[in-house]
Amino acid sequence: MTQEDAQYIRSKVMAHNKWFEECIPMIASENLMSPLAKEMLISDFADRYAEGLPGKRYYQGNIYVDEVELKAIELAKKVFDADFADVRPISGTVANMAVLFAFAQPGDTITTCALAQGAHISTCEFGAFGQRSVNSVNYPFNEHDMNLDVDGTIKLLKEVRPKVAQFGLSVFLFPPPLKELQDTFNEIGCLVWEDCAHVLGLIAGKQFHDPLREGVNIVSSSTHKTFPGPNHGLLLGQNLTEEQEKQLQKAVFPGVTSSHHLHAMAALAVTLAEMDVFAKDYAAQTCKNARALGQALYERGVPVLCPDLGFTRSHAIAVDVSQFGGGKDCAKALEDANIICNKNMLPRDTSSVRPSGLRLGAQEMTRLGMKESDMVEVADLISRVVVKKEDPAKVKEDVKTFKRQFTSIQYCFNAGEPAYGYHKLVE
Ligand SMILES: *Cc1c(COP(=O)(O)O)cnc(C)c1O
Protein backbone atom coordinates (compact mmCIF):
# COMPACT_ATOMS: atom_id res chain seq x y z
CA MET A 1 0.00 0.00 0.00
CA THR A 2 3.03 2.27 -0.26
CA GLN A 3 1.81 3.93 -3.38
CA GLU A 4 -1.52 4.72 -1.78
CA ASP A 5 0.27 6.38 1.10
CA ALA A 6 2.34 8.42 -1.30
CA GLN A 7 -0.79 9.43 -3.21
CA TYR A 8 -2.45 10.35 0.05
CA ILE A 9 0.42 12.66 0.97
CA ARG A 10 0.51 14.20 -2.48
CA SER A 11 -3.23 14.85 -2.42
CA LYS A 12 -2.93 16.56 0.97
CA VAL A 13 -0.13 18.80 -0.25
CA MET A 14 -2.19 19.68 -3.31
CA ALA A 15 -5.18 20.42 -1.09
CA HIS A 16 -2.97 22.74 0.94
CA ASN A 17 -1.83 24.51 -2.24
CA LYS A 18 -5.45 24.98 -3.31
CA TRP A 19 -6.42 26.22 0.14
CA PHE A 20 -3.65 28.82 0.26
CA GLU A 21 -4.62 29.98 -3.19
CA GLU A 22 -7.94 30.96 -1.58
CA CYS A 23 -6.49 32.47 1.61
CA ILE A 24 -5.21 35.86 2.68
CA PRO A 25 -1.70 35.10 4.02
CA MET A 26 -0.75 37.29 6.98
CA ILE A 27 1.82 35.32 8.97
CA ALA A 28 4.60 37.85 9.46
CA SER A 29 7.36 35.24 9.11
CA GLU A 30 6.28 33.77 5.79
CA ASN A 31 6.49 34.69 2.13
CA LEU A 32 6.21 33.40 -1.41
CA MET A 33 9.28 32.49 -3.41
CA SER A 34 9.52 33.57 -7.03
CA PRO A 35 8.89 30.88 -9.70
CA LEU A 36 12.57 31.05 -10.68
CA ALA A 37 13.77 30.59 -7.10
CA LYS A 38 11.32 27.78 -6.42
CA GLU A 39 12.52 25.93 -9.49
CA MET A 40 15.94 25.58 -7.84
CA LEU A 41 14.38 23.49 -5.07
CA ILE A 42 13.54 20.65 -7.44
CA SER A 43 16.87 20.73 -9.26
CA ASP A 44 19.54 18.04 -8.89
CA PHE A 45 21.23 20.30 -6.30
CA ALA A 46 18.62 18.89 -3.91
CA ASP A 47 20.22 15.46 -4.16
CA ARG A 48 23.88 16.47 -3.63
CA TYR A 49 26.38 17.10 -0.91
CA ALA A 50 28.93 19.83 -0.44
CA GLU A 51 31.02 20.32 2.67
CA GLY A 52 33.33 23.21 3.37
CA LEU A 53 33.90 26.28 1.19
CA PRO A 54 33.84 26.64 -2.62
CA GLY A 55 37.07 25.31 -4.10
CA LYS A 56 37.86 23.42 -0.90
CA ARG A 57 35.16 20.75 -0.83
CA TYR A 58 35.51 17.32 0.66
CA TYR A 59 33.47 15.64 -2.11
CA GLN A 60 33.72 15.69 -5.90
CA GLY A 61 30.82 16.78 -8.08
CA ASN A 62 30.66 20.37 -6.88
CA ILE A 63 31.91 22.22 -9.96
CA TYR A 64 28.65 24.08 -10.59
CA VAL A 65 27.70 24.18 -6.93
CA ASP A 66 30.88 26.15 -6.26
CA GLU A 67 30.09 28.63 -9.03
CA VAL A 68 26.57 29.15 -7.67
CA GLU A 69 27.79 29.58 -4.12
CA LEU A 70 30.48 32.10 -5.09
CA LYS A 71 27.81 34.05 -6.98
CA ALA A 72 25.47 33.88 -3.96
CA ILE A 73 28.20 35.28 -1.69
CA GLU A 74 28.97 38.05 -4.17
CA LEU A 75 25.27 38.97 -4.46
CA ALA A 76 24.72 38.89 -0.69
CA LYS A 77 27.64 41.28 -0.18
CA LYS A 78 26.27 43.55 -2.90
CA VAL A 79 22.62 43.59 -1.82
CA PHE A 80 23.47 44.29 1.83
CA ASP A 81 26.69 46.23 1.19
CA ALA A 82 28.54 43.83 3.50
CA ASP A 83 32.24 42.94 3.87
CA PHE A 84 31.48 39.32 4.57
CA ALA A 85 28.74 36.82 3.76
CA ASP A 86 28.19 33.14 4.46
CA VAL A 87 25.24 31.56 2.64
CA ARG A 88 25.51 28.12 4.25
CA PRO A 89 23.46 28.24 7.48
CA ILE A 90 20.38 26.15 6.77
CA SER A 91 18.05 28.33 8.84
CA GLY A 92 17.94 31.43 10.99
CA THR A 93 18.32 29.39 14.15
CA VAL A 94 21.34 27.59 12.70
CA ALA A 95 22.84 30.98 11.77
CA ASN A 96 22.34 32.06 15.39
CA MET A 97 23.99 28.87 16.64
CA ALA A 98 26.97 29.57 14.39
CA VAL A 99 27.39 33.04 15.94
CA LEU A 100 27.22 31.48 19.40
CA PHE A 101 29.75 28.78 18.50
CA ALA A 102 32.09 31.41 17.05
CA PHE A 103 31.91 34.08 19.69
CA ALA A 104 30.48 32.78 22.97
CA GLN A 105 31.87 30.20 25.34
CA PRO A 106 29.66 28.57 27.95
CA GLY A 107 29.49 30.96 30.89
CA ASP A 108 29.88 34.10 28.77
CA THR A 109 27.25 36.80 29.00
CA ILE A 110 25.25 38.16 26.07
CA THR A 111 22.72 40.95 26.41
CA THR A 112 19.52 40.39 24.48
CA CYS A 113 15.81 41.17 24.23
CA ALA A 114 13.26 39.25 26.28
CA LEU A 115 10.86 36.67 24.86
CA ALA A 116 7.79 38.50 26.18
CA GLN A 117 8.95 41.62 24.35
CA GLY A 118 9.09 39.83 21.03
CA ALA A 119 12.46 38.04 20.99
CA HIS A 120 12.84 34.68 19.26
CA ILE A 121 13.13 31.45 21.27
CA SER A 122 16.60 30.77 19.85
CA THR A 123 18.00 33.71 21.82
CA CYS A 124 16.25 32.77 25.06
CA GLU A 125 17.29 30.79 28.08
CA PHE A 126 15.44 27.63 27.07
CA GLY A 127 16.50 27.97 23.40
CA ALA A 128 19.94 27.95 21.78
CA PHE A 129 21.37 30.60 24.15
CA GLY A 130 20.53 28.64 27.28
CA GLN A 131 21.49 25.32 25.74
CA ARG A 132 24.90 26.76 24.87
CA SER A 133 25.05 27.72 28.59
CA VAL A 134 25.35 31.38 27.70
CA ASN A 135 24.00 33.76 30.32
CA SER A 136 21.53 36.09 28.74
CA VAL A 137 20.64 39.40 30.34
CA ASN A 138 17.59 41.24 28.96
CA TYR A 139 17.44 44.91 28.05
CA PRO A 140 14.76 47.09 29.65
CA PHE A 141 11.83 47.62 27.29
CA ASN A 142 9.52 50.56 26.80
CA GLU A 143 6.04 49.15 26.15
CA HIS A 144 4.64 52.40 24.84
CA ASP A 145 7.29 52.63 22.12
CA MET A 146 7.53 48.84 21.65
CA ASN A 147 11.28 49.35 21.68
CA LEU A 148 14.28 49.31 24.00
CA ASP A 149 14.50 51.88 26.74
CA VAL A 150 17.63 53.74 25.62
CA ASP A 151 18.85 55.11 28.97
CA GLY A 152 18.17 51.84 30.74
CA THR A 153 19.92 49.88 27.99
CA ILE A 154 23.03 52.10 28.18
CA LYS A 155 23.11 51.62 31.95
CA LEU A 156 22.68 47.86 31.63
CA LEU A 157 25.40 47.54 28.97
CA LYS A 158 27.85 49.47 31.19
CA GLU A 159 27.04 47.31 34.19
CA VAL A 160 27.07 43.94 32.45
CA ARG A 161 29.86 44.67 29.93
CA PRO A 162 28.76 41.78 27.68
CA LYS A 163 31.13 40.10 25.25
CA VAL A 164 28.37 40.34 22.65
CA ALA A 165 25.39 42.71 22.56
CA GLN A 166 22.57 41.02 20.64
CA PHE A 167 19.49 42.62 19.10
CA GLY A 168 16.55 41.60 16.95
CA LEU A 169 12.93 40.54 17.46
CA SER A 170 10.14 38.45 16.01
CA VAL A 171 7.59 41.16 16.73
CA PHE A 172 9.78 43.80 15.17
CA LEU A 173 7.81 47.03 14.75
CA PHE A 174 10.59 49.60 15.14
CA PRO A 175 14.36 49.51 14.58
CA PRO A 176 16.59 49.15 17.64
CA PRO A 177 18.18 52.47 18.77
CA LEU A 178 21.67 51.44 17.68
CA LYS A 179 22.94 54.94 16.91
CA GLU A 180 22.17 56.02 20.46
CA LEU A 181 24.05 52.99 21.80
CA GLN A 182 27.12 53.36 19.59
CA ASP A 183 29.30 55.21 22.14
CA THR A 184 28.52 52.58 24.74
CA PHE A 185 29.45 49.75 22.35
CA ASN A 186 32.76 51.50 21.66
CA GLU A 187 33.39 52.09 25.36
CA ILE A 188 32.95 48.44 26.35
CA GLY A 189 34.37 46.99 23.12
CA CYS A 190 31.68 44.39 22.55
CA LEU A 191 30.71 42.69 19.31
CA VAL A 192 27.32 43.89 18.09
CA TRP A 193 25.03 41.25 16.62
CA GLU A 194 21.56 41.71 15.19
CA ASP A 195 19.20 38.89 14.26
CA CYS A 196 17.37 40.34 11.25
CA ALA A 197 15.28 37.25 10.41
CA HIS A 198 12.04 39.20 10.24
CA VAL A 199 13.24 42.32 8.48
CA LEU A 200 15.97 41.15 6.07
CA GLY A 201 13.87 41.90 2.98
CA LEU A 202 13.18 45.41 4.26
CA ILE A 203 16.88 45.98 4.88
CA ALA A 204 17.62 44.76 1.34
CA GLY A 205 15.21 47.45 0.13
CA LYS A 206 16.75 50.20 2.33
CA GLN A 207 13.72 50.36 4.59
CA PHE A 208 13.51 49.94 8.36
CA HIS A 209 17.20 50.49 9.11
CA ASP A 210 20.72 49.74 7.90
CA PRO A 211 22.36 47.68 10.66
CA LEU A 212 25.80 47.32 9.05
CA ARG A 213 26.05 51.13 8.83
CA GLU A 214 24.84 51.53 12.42
CA GLY A 215 27.59 49.65 14.21
CA VAL A 216 26.39 46.06 13.79
CA ASN A 217 29.27 43.63 13.15
CA ILE A 218 27.23 40.49 12.51
CA VAL A 219 23.79 40.03 11.00
CA SER A 220 22.23 36.60 11.30
CA SER A 221 19.01 35.85 9.49
CA SER A 222 16.45 33.57 7.97
CA THR A 223 15.91 34.12 4.25
CA HIS A 224 12.19 33.41 3.98
CA LYS A 225 10.35 36.06 5.99
CA THR A 226 10.32 39.57 4.54
CA PHE A 227 13.20 38.36 2.38
CA PRO A 228 11.19 36.21 -0.04
CA GLY A 229 13.66 33.36 -0.46
CA PRO A 230 13.83 29.70 0.52
CA ASN A 231 13.75 28.31 4.06
CA HIS A 232 17.43 28.94 4.72
CA GLY A 233 19.80 31.15 6.69
CA LEU A 234 22.42 33.82 6.08
CA LEU A 235 25.29 35.50 7.92
CA LEU A 236 26.63 38.95 7.06
CA GLY A 237 29.63 40.70 8.58
CA GLN A 238 31.09 44.19 8.74
CA ASN A 239 34.37 45.32 10.26
CA LEU A 240 35.23 41.83 11.46
CA THR A 241 38.88 40.79 11.61
CA GLU A 242 40.02 38.07 9.23
CA GLU A 243 40.32 35.82 12.26
CA GLN A 244 36.69 36.53 13.26
CA GLU A 245 35.45 35.79 9.74
CA LYS A 246 37.31 32.48 9.81
CA GLN A 247 35.83 31.68 13.24
CA LEU A 248 32.36 32.26 11.84
CA GLN A 249 33.00 30.07 8.78
CA LYS A 250 34.40 27.34 11.00
CA ALA A 251 31.36 27.57 13.24
CA VAL A 252 29.05 27.10 10.23
CA PHE A 253 31.04 24.10 9.01
CA PRO A 254 32.00 21.85 10.72
CA GLY A 255 30.27 23.51 13.70
CA VAL A 256 26.56 23.51 13.00
CA THR A 257 26.09 22.17 9.46
CA SER A 258 27.40 19.38 7.30
CA SER A 259 25.98 19.88 3.80
CA HIS A 260 24.13 23.13 3.51
CA HIS A 261 21.03 22.29 1.42
CA LEU A 262 22.44 23.21 -1.96
CA HIS A 263 19.04 23.57 -3.63
CA ALA A 264 18.03 26.14 -1.02
CA MET A 265 21.39 27.89 -1.40
CA ALA A 266 20.73 28.16 -5.17
CA ALA A 267 17.20 29.45 -4.51
CA LEU A 268 18.71 32.02 -2.15
CA ALA A 269 21.14 33.08 -4.89
CA VAL A 270 18.26 33.58 -7.34
CA THR A 271 16.29 35.57 -4.75
CA LEU A 272 19.33 37.75 -4.03
CA ALA A 273 19.61 38.49 -7.76
CA GLU A 274 15.93 39.41 -7.82
CA MET A 275 16.11 41.52 -4.69
CA ASP A 276 19.09 43.38 -6.14
CA VAL A 277 16.61 44.69 -8.71
CA PHE A 278 13.23 44.68 -6.95
CA ALA A 279 13.88 45.03 -3.20
CA LYS A 280 13.46 48.77 -3.07
CA ASP A 281 9.95 48.87 -4.54
CA TYR A 282 8.88 45.71 -2.74
CA ALA A 283 10.11 46.82 0.69
CA ALA A 284 8.72 50.34 0.39
CA GLN A 285 5.28 49.01 -0.63
CA THR A 286 5.38 46.41 2.16
CA CYS A 287 5.94 49.09 4.81
CA LYS A 288 3.25 51.35 3.31
CA ASN A 289 0.80 48.43 3.29
CA ALA A 290 1.54 47.56 6.94
CA ARG A 291 0.81 51.12 8.02
CA ALA A 292 -2.32 51.28 5.87
CA LEU A 293 -3.54 48.04 7.42
CA GLY A 294 -2.84 49.39 10.91
CA GLN A 295 -4.75 52.58 10.18
CA ALA A 296 -7.73 50.78 8.64
CA LEU A 297 -8.03 48.30 11.51
CA TYR A 298 -7.68 51.11 14.05
CA GLU A 299 -10.51 52.99 12.36
CA ARG A 300 -12.64 49.84 12.62
CA GLY A 301 -12.23 49.66 16.38
CA VAL A 302 -9.42 47.14 16.59
CA PRO A 303 -6.74 48.36 19.03
CA VAL A 304 -3.53 48.35 16.99
CA LEU A 305 -0.43 49.01 19.08
CA CYS A 306 1.51 52.27 18.75
CA PRO A 307 -1.10 54.45 16.96
CA ASP A 308 0.84 57.61 17.86
CA LEU A 309 3.97 56.18 16.21
CA GLY A 310 2.23 55.30 12.95
CA PHE A 311 1.67 51.68 14.13
CA THR A 312 4.88 50.32 12.62
CA ARG A 313 7.94 50.95 10.51
CA SER A 314 8.23 47.33 9.44
CA HIS A 315 6.05 44.82 7.62
CA ALA A 316 4.21 43.85 10.80
CA ILE A 317 1.64 45.25 13.17
CA ALA A 318 0.57 44.00 16.58
CA VAL A 319 -3.08 44.19 17.59
CA ASP A 320 -4.66 43.72 20.99
CA VAL A 321 -7.75 41.54 20.67
CA SER A 322 -8.27 40.88 24.40
CA GLN A 323 -11.71 42.55 24.29
CA PHE A 324 -12.74 40.32 21.36
CA GLY A 325 -11.95 36.94 22.95
CA GLY A 326 -8.14 36.95 22.87
CA GLY A 327 -5.51 35.96 20.34
CA LYS A 328 -6.18 32.23 20.32
CA ASP A 329 -9.88 32.39 19.52
CA CYS A 330 -9.56 35.28 17.09
CA ALA A 331 -6.76 33.58 15.13
CA LYS A 332 -8.88 30.42 14.88
CA ALA A 333 -12.00 32.30 13.76
CA LEU A 334 -9.92 34.11 11.14
CA GLU A 335 -8.53 30.80 9.91
CA ASP A 336 -12.12 29.58 9.50
CA ALA A 337 -12.58 32.61 7.24
CA ASN A 338 -9.40 31.78 5.25
CA ILE A 339 -7.43 34.64 6.83
CA ILE A 340 -4.21 33.11 8.12
CA CYS A 341 -2.36 34.82 10.98
CA ASN A 342 -1.03 33.90 14.42
CA LYS A 343 -1.78 34.69 18.03
CA ASN A 344 1.04 36.55 19.74
CA MET A 345 2.10 37.63 23.20
CA LEU A 346 1.96 41.34 23.90
CA PRO A 347 4.32 42.89 26.50
CA ARG A 348 2.12 42.32 29.54
CA ASP A 349 1.02 38.80 28.69
CA THR A 350 2.14 35.94 30.88
CA SER A 351 0.64 33.07 28.87
CA SER A 352 2.00 32.22 25.43
CA VAL A 353 -0.90 29.77 24.95
CA ARG A 354 -3.62 32.36 25.58
CA PRO A 355 -2.03 35.65 24.61
CA SER A 356 -4.00 38.82 24.04
CA GLY A 357 -2.57 39.72 20.66
CA LEU A 358 -2.40 38.94 16.98
CA ARG A 359 0.63 39.60 14.80
CA LEU A 360 -0.18 40.54 11.21
CA GLY A 361 2.33 40.87 8.37
CA ALA A 362 1.85 42.68 5.04
CA GLN A 363 4.86 41.28 3.15
CA GLU A 364 3.24 38.29 1.46
CA MET A 365 0.14 40.24 0.45
CA THR A 366 2.49 42.84 -1.03
CA ARG A 367 4.30 40.12 -2.96
CA LEU A 368 0.93 39.21 -4.47
CA GLY A 369 0.48 42.77 -5.68
CA MET A 370 -1.79 44.24 -3.00
CA LYS A 371 -1.67 47.98 -2.36
CA GLU A 372 -2.95 50.34 0.36
CA SER A 373 -6.56 50.30 -0.89
CA ASP A 374 -6.53 46.50 -0.70
CA MET A 375 -5.39 46.74 2.92
CA VAL A 376 -8.62 48.60 3.67
CA GLU A 377 -10.59 45.69 2.23
CA VAL A 378 -8.52 43.20 4.23
CA ALA A 379 -9.14 45.23 7.40
CA ASP A 380 -12.86 45.10 6.63
CA LEU A 381 -12.80 41.32 6.29
CA ILE A 382 -10.83 40.98 9.55
CA SER A 383 -13.14 43.28 11.49
CA ARG A 384 -16.23 41.40 10.27
CA VAL A 385 -14.83 38.28 11.94
CA VAL A 386 -13.13 39.80 15.00
CA VAL A 387 -15.29 42.80 15.91
CA LYS A 388 -18.70 42.08 14.38
CA LYS A 389 -18.47 38.32 15.03
CA GLU A 390 -19.98 37.46 11.65
CA ASP A 391 -20.04 33.80 10.75
CA PRO A 392 -16.50 33.02 9.47
CA ALA A 393 -17.93 30.64 6.84
CA LYS A 394 -19.81 33.57 5.30
CA VAL A 395 -16.78 35.89 5.37
CA LYS A 396 -14.71 33.10 3.84
CA GLU A 397 -16.69 33.31 0.60
CA ASP A 398 -15.84 37.00 0.31
CA VAL A 399 -12.19 36.27 1.14
CA LYS A 400 -12.08 33.77 -1.72
CA THR A 401 -13.62 36.27 -4.13
CA PHE A 402 -11.17 38.97 -3.01
CA LYS A 403 -8.17 36.65 -3.34
CA ARG A 404 -9.02 35.75 -6.95
CA GLN A 405 -7.60 39.15 -7.96
CA PHE A 406 -4.17 38.18 -6.61
CA THR A 407 -2.86 34.98 -8.14
CA SER A 408 0.67 35.83 -9.24
CA ILE A 409 3.89 36.99 -7.62
CA GLN A 410 5.26 40.47 -8.19
CA TYR A 411 8.73 41.98 -7.64
CA CYS A 412 10.56 39.14 -9.41
CA PHE A 413 11.83 38.27 -12.90
CA ASN A 414 8.93 36.02 -13.91
CA ALA A 415 6.24 38.26 -12.47
CA GLY A 416 2.85 37.08 -13.62
CA GLU A 417 3.54 33.37 -13.26
CA PRO A 418 0.95 31.64 -11.06
CA ALA A 419 1.87 31.90 -7.38
CA TYR A 420 0.55 28.46 -6.55
CA GLY A 421 1.37 26.61 -9.79
CA TYR A 422 3.64 23.73 -10.62
CA HIS A 423 7.19 23.72 -11.85
CA LYS A 424 8.69 21.47 -14.49
CA LEU A 425 12.46 21.66 -14.88
CA VAL A 426 12.68 19.65 -18.08
CA GLU A 427 10.40 20.69 -20.90
C1 LIG B 1 12.10 33.23 12.69
C2 LIG B 1 13.21 33.71 13.53
C3 LIG B 1 14.35 32.94 13.73
C4 LIG B 1 14.44 31.49 13.30
O1 LIG B 1 14.51 31.31 11.99
P1 LIG B 1 14.39 29.83 11.36
O2 LIG B 1 14.87 30.10 9.98
O3 LIG B 1 12.98 29.43 11.47
O4 LIG B 1 15.31 28.94 12.13
C5 LIG B 1 15.40 33.49 14.43
N1 LIG B 1 15.33 34.73 14.93
C6 LIG B 1 14.26 35.50 14.77
C7 LIG B 1 14.24 36.87 15.34
C8 LIG B 1 13.15 35.01 14.09
O5 LIG B 1 12.05 35.77 13.98
Coordinates of all heavy atoms in Angstrom, one line a residue, residues 29 90-96 118-123 166-172 195-198 220-225 231-233 359, ligand 1:
S29 N 6.1 35.9 9.3 CA 7.4 35.2 9.1 C 7.4 34.4 7.9 O 8.2 33.5 7.7 CB 7.7 34.4 10.3 OG 6.7 33.5 10.6
I90 N 21.6 26.7 7.4 CA 20.4 26.1 6.8 C 19.1 26.7 7.4 O 18.0 26.4 6.9 CB 20.4 24.6 6.8 CG1 20.5 24.1 8.2 CG2 21.4 24.0 5.9 CD1 20.2 22.6 8.3
S91 N 19.2 27.6 8.3 CA 18.0 28.3 8.8 C 18.5 29.5 9.7 O 19.7 29.6 10.0 CB 17.1 27.4 9.7 OG 17.7 27.2 10.9
G92 N 17.6 30.3 10.1 CA 17.9 31.4 11.0 C 18.5 31.0 12.3 O 19.4 31.5 12.9
T93 N 17.9 29.9 12.9 CA 18.3 29.4 14.2 C 19.7 28.8 14.0 O 20.6 29.0 14.9 CB 17.4 28.3 14.6 OG1 16.1 28.9 14.8 CG2 17.8 27.7 16.0
V94 N 20.0 28.1 12.9 CA 21.3 27.6 12.7 C 22.4 28.7 12.5 O 23.5 28.6 13.0 CB 21.3 26.6 11.5 CG1 22.7 26.3 11.1 CG2 20.6 25.3 11.9
A95 N 22.0 29.8 11.9 CA 22.8 31.0 11.8 C 23.1 31.5 13.2 O 24.3 31.9 13.5 CB 22.2 32.0 10.9
N96 N 22.1 31.6 14.0 CA 22.3 32.1 15.4 C 23.3 31.1 16.1 O 24.2 31.6 16.9 CB 21.0 32.2 16.1 CG 20.2 33.4 15.7 OD1 20.7 34.2 15.0 ND2 18.9 33.4 16.1
G118 N 9.1 40.1 22.5 CA 9.1 39.8 21.0 C 10.3 39.1 20.5 O 10.5 38.9 19.3
A119 N 11.2 38.7 21.4 CA 12.5 38.0 21.0 C 12.1 36.6 20.5 O 11.0 36.1 20.8 CB 13.5 38.0 22.1
H120 N 13.0 36.0 19.8 CA 12.8 34.7 19.3 C 13.3 33.7 20.3 O 14.3 33.9 21.0 CB 13.6 34.5 17.9 CG 13.3 33.2 17.2 ND1 14.2 32.2 17.2 CD2 12.2 32.8 16.5 CE1 13.7 31.2 16.5 NE2 12.5 31.5 16.1
I121 N 12.7 32.5 20.3 CA 13.1 31.5 21.3 C 14.6 31.1 21.2 O 15.2 30.7 22.2 CB 12.3 30.1 21.1 CG1 11.9 29.9 19.7 CG2 11.2 30.1 22.1 CD1 11.3 28.5 19.5
S122 N 15.2 31.2 20.0 CA 16.6 30.8 19.9 C 17.5 31.6 20.7 O 18.6 31.2 21.1 CB 17.1 30.8 18.4 OG 16.9 32.1 17.9
T123 N 17.1 32.8 21.0 CA 18.0 33.7 21.8 C 17.6 33.8 23.3 O 18.0 34.6 24.0 CB 18.0 35.1 21.2 OG1 16.7 35.7 21.2 CG2 18.6 35.1 19.8
Q166 N 23.4 41.6 21.7 CA 22.6 41.0 20.6 C 21.2 41.7 20.6 O 20.6 42.1 21.6 CB 22.4 39.5 20.9 CG 22.0 38.7 19.7 CD 20.5 38.5 19.6 OE1 19.7 38.9 20.5 NE2 20.1 37.9 18.5
F167 N 20.8 41.9 19.3 CA 19.5 42.6 19.1 C 18.7 41.8 18.1 O 19.2 40.9 17.5 CB 19.7 44.0 18.6 CG 20.5 44.9 19.5 CD1 21.9 44.8 19.5 CD2 19.9 45.6 20.5 CE1 22.7 45.6 20.4 CE2 20.6 46.3 21.5 CZ 22.0 46.3 21.4
G168 N 17.4 42.3 17.9 CA 16.5 41.6 16.9 C 15.4 40.9 17.6 O 15.4 40.4 18.7
L169 N 14.2 41.0 16.9 CA 12.9 40.5 17.5 C 12.1 39.8 16.4 O 12.4 39.9 15.2 CB 12.1 41.8 17.9 CG 12.7 42.6 19.1 CD1 12.0 43.9 19.2 CD2 12.5 41.8 20.4
S170 N 11.1 39.1 16.9 CA 10.1 38.5 16.0 C 8.8 39.2 15.9 O 8.0 39.0 15.1 CB 9.8 37.0 16.5 OG 11.0 36.3 16.4
V171 N 8.6 40.1 16.9 CA 7.6 41.2 16.7 C 8.4 42.5 16.6 O 8.7 43.1 17.6 CB 6.6 41.2 17.9 CG1 5.5 42.2 17.7 CG2 6.0 39.8 18.2
F172 N 8.7 42.8 15.4 CA 9.8 43.8 15.2 C 9.1 45.0 14.5 O 9.1 45.1 13.3 CB 10.8 43.2 14.2 CG 12.2 43.6 14.5 CD1 13.3 43.0 13.8 CD2 12.5 44.7 15.3 CE1 14.6 43.4 14.0 CE2 13.9 45.1 15.5 CZ 14.9 44.4 14.9
D195 N 19.9 39.9 14.9 CA 19.2 38.9 14.3 C 18.1 39.6 13.4 O 17.1 40.1 14.0 CB 18.6 38.0 15.3 CG 17.7 36.9 14.7 OD1 17.4 37.0 13.6 OD2 17.4 35.9 15.5
C196 N 18.3 39.6 12.1 CA 17.4 40.3 11.2 C 16.4 39.4 10.5 O 15.9 39.8 9.4 CB 18.2 41.2 10.2 SG 19.2 42.5 11.0
A197 N 16.1 38.2 11.1 CA 15.3 37.3 10.4 C 14.0 37.9 9.9 O 13.6 37.6 8.7 CB 15.0 36.1 11.4
H198 N 13.3 38.7 10.7 CA 12.0 39.2 10.2 C 12.2 40.3 9.2 O 11.3 40.4 8.4 CB 11.2 39.7 11.4 CG 10.2 38.7 11.8 ND1 8.9 38.8 11.4 CD2 10.3 37.6 12.6 CE1 8.2 37.8 11.9 NE2 9.0 37.0 12.6
S220 N 22.7 38.0 11.6 CA 22.2 36.6 11.3 C 20.8 36.7 10.8 O 20.1 37.6 11.2 CB 22.3 35.7 12.6 OG 21.5 36.3 13.6
S221 N 20.4 35.7 10.0 CA 19.0 35.9 9.5 C 18.5 34.6 8.9 O 19.2 33.7 8.5 CB 19.0 36.9 8.4 OG 17.6 37.3 8.1
S222 N 17.2 34.5 8.9 CA 16.5 33.6 8.0 C 16.4 34.3 6.6 O 16.6 35.5 6.5 CB 15.0 33.3 8.4 OG 15.0 33.0 9.8
T223 N 16.0 33.5 5.6 CA 15.9 34.1 4.3 C 14.5 33.9 3.6 O 14.4 33.9 2.4 CB 17.0 33.5 3.3 OG1 16.8 32.1 3.3 CG2 18.4 33.9 3.8
H224 N 13.5 33.7 4.5 CA 12.2 33.4 4.0 C 11.1 34.2 4.7 O 9.9 33.8 4.7 CB 12.0 31.9 4.1 CG 12.3 31.4 5.5 ND1 13.5 30.9 5.8 CD2 11.6 31.4 6.6 CE1 13.6 30.6 7.1 NE2 12.4 30.8 7.6
K225 N 11.4 35.3 5.3 CA 10.4 36.1 6.0 C 10.1 37.3 5.1 O 9.4 37.1 4.1 CB 10.8 36.3 7.4 CG 10.9 35.0 8.2 CD 11.3 35.2 9.7 CE 11.4 33.8 10.4 NZ 11.7 34.0 11.8
N231 N 13.5 28.6 2.7 CA 13.8 28.3 4.1 C 15.2 28.0 4.2 O 15.7 27.0 3.8 CB 13.0 27.1 4.5 CG 11.8 27.5 5.3 OD1 11.9 27.7 6.5 ND2 10.6 27.5 4.7
H232 N 16.0 29.0 4.7 CA 17.4 28.9 4.7 C 17.9 30.0 5.7 O 17.1 30.7 6.3 CB 18.0 29.1 3.3 CG 19.4 28.6 3.1 ND1 19.7 27.2 3.1 CD2 20.6 29.2 2.9 CE1 21.0 27.0 3.0 NE2 21.6 28.2 2.8
G233 N 19.2 30.1 5.8 CA 19.8 31.2 6.7 C 20.9 31.9 6.0 O 21.4 31.5 4.9
R359 N -0.4 39.0 15.6 CA 0.6 39.6 14.8 C 0.3 39.5 13.3 O -0.1 38.4 12.9 CB 1.9 38.9 15.1 CG 3.2 39.5 14.4 CD 4.4 38.6 14.6 NE 4.3 37.4 14.0 CZ 5.3 36.5 13.9 NH1 6.4 36.7 14.5 NH2 5.1 35.3 13.3
Ligands
LIG1 C1 12.1 33.2 12.7 C2 13.2 33.7 13.5 C3 14.4 32.9 13.7 C4 14.4 31.5 13.3 O1 14.5 31.3 12.0 P1 14.4 29.8 11.4 O2 14.9 30.1 10.0 O3 13.0 29.4 11.5 O4 15.3 28.9 12.1 C5 15.4 33.5 14.4 N1 15.3 34.7 14.9 C6 14.3 35.5 14.8 C7 14.2 36.9 15.3 C8 13.1 35.0 14.1 O5 12.1 35.8 14.0

